[in-house]
């Protein structure tokens, strides 16, 4: 049983374009406030049916490559049965099957344990909803 549980809700504005938003700094700030040097787990959860959480390199083109791959796999056209919203919006509802709405990461000594080039990212292809929430929860 964990000694500690803390949670925090981030409000993120992604805009009206498909985006990969780096949340690593937000995760680190949250852990600095609540982990107090303890080991544990950080859970990142997006309570939306059209967004996901990915662990990937950012800033060197991988984030753009991910969006391009998602456009290839999930084209924004009229093939989707889910048809409300902007044209092709049904694809956004399939996204969480490929980019899950959650990730759980190790925290060692109060710090997020990521690889050298890894970042925690919100992936949002839904141009109809620019306001997102991300729940950070620490168990330690």
């Amino acid at each position: 049983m964990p000694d500690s549980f803390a949670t925090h809700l981030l409000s993120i504005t992604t805009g009206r374009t498909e985006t990969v938003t780096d949340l690593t700094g937000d995760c680190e700030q949250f852990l600095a406030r609540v982990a107090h040097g303890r080991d544990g787990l950080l859970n990142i959860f997006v309570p939306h049916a059209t967004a996901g959480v990915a662990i990937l390199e950012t800033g060197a083109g991988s984030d753009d490559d991910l969006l391009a791959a998602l456009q290839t796999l999930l084209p924004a056209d009229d093939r989707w049965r889910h048809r409300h919203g902007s044209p092709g919006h049904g694809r956004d509802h399939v996204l969480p099957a490929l980019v899950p709405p959650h990730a759980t990461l190790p925290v060692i000594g109060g710090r997020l344990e990521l690889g050298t080039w890894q970042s925690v990212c919100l992936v949002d292809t839904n141009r109809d909803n620019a306001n997102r929430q991300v729940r950070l929860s620490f168990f330690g």
Side-chain angles (χ1 to χ4, degrees), residues 115-129:
T116 302
W117 302 112
Q118 290 180 317
S119 296
V120 179
C121 298
L122 169 67
V123 179
D124 186 3
T125 59
N126 183 355
R127 296 179 304 242
D128 294 338
N129 184 358

Side-chain angles (χ1 to χ4, degrees), residues 52-104:
V53 176
I55 309 301
L56 74 153
E57 179 181 8
T58 59
S62 297
D63 37 356
D64 292 332
D65 289 342
L66 173 60
L67 292 175
L70 290 171
Q71 289 168 357
T72 299
L73 292 169
L74 304 172
D77 58 23
D78 64 357
R79 73 182 70 202
W80 308 102
R81 293 185 181 126
H82 188 104
R83 293 188 184 264
H84 80 274
S86 61
H89 175 64
R91 74 185 282 258
D92 301 325
H93 288 274
V94 177
L95 174 76
L98 301 175
V99 181
H102 59 87
T104 301

Side-chain angles (χ1 to χ4, degrees), residues 38-59:
R38 291 190 306 263
D39 295 348
L41 296 172
L42 175 66
N43 180 264
I44 304 101
F45 176 69
V46 181
H48 298 283
T50 59
V53 176
I55 309 301
L56 74 153
E57 179 181 8
T58 59

